[in-house]
Amino acid sequence: MKILKTLSVSFLLGMTTLNSTVFANNTVVSVNFSEIPVKTVCIKHAAASNADNFFAQATFLSFEVYKPGSKEDLANIISSLKKASGVESVTEGKLNGDYQAITITLKSAKNKAWFASEFKKAGLNTVRINNNPIVEVDKM
């Protein structure tokens, strides 16, 4: 008799669990995990949603480079950016995990094409602005 009670309670609990999973509201979440390319410029600024206006008005740009490489690679990136005409200063910021902060101060505002060409010369081939998809610097 005790075995029969145990089996009936087990059966009852099993059926309630089965019913709750059948009637549960399943939501599908699609997550795209893609690796960020090395030496990607990451710009986080509220005004950067319109890239044309943002770069045309910027005389001070703070951005991060994802996995810039060794210290020599970072020094090459900074020296290349310093050599550009119209650049007042380039400052290396803090390293935050895989992201190296860099700040550029310009003598006068430049356009988006100027930034794209200088990033390309420095070996920075891809850019991510805010949470937008990663694109090549020529297509930003």
Side-chain angles (χ1 to χ4, degrees), residues 38-111:
V38 295
K39 296 185 180 181
T40 296
V41 175
C42 299
I43 299 172
K44 300 173 192 168
H45 196 281
S49 59
N50 185 346
D52 293 326
N53 291 341
F54 175 72
F55 287 110
Q57 297 173 356
T59 57
F60 178 82
L61 179 64
S62 182
F63 61 93
E64 294 176 331
V65 177
Y66 179 73
K67 292 187 180 179
S70 65
K71 284 290 185 184
E72 293 81 24
D73 293 337
L74 181 61
N76 290 338
I77 292 169
I78 291 176
S79 67
S80 176
L81 291 172
K82 281 183 181 179
K83 290 178 188 175
S85 63
V87 173
E88 188 174 318
S89 68
V90 178
T91 308
E92 177 182 345
K94 287 177 34 176
L95 179 66
N96 298 320
D98 290 333
Y99 294 88
Q100 176 66 52
I102 297 176
T103 303
I104 298 176
T105 305
L106 302 174
K107 295 176 184 172
S108 63
K110 304 291 184 182
N111 61 4

Side-chain angles (χ1 to χ4, degrees), residues 6-17:
T6 306
L7 286 175
S8 64
V9 169
S10 298
F11 180 74
L12 180 66
L13 290 175
M15 290 305 292
T16 58
T17 305

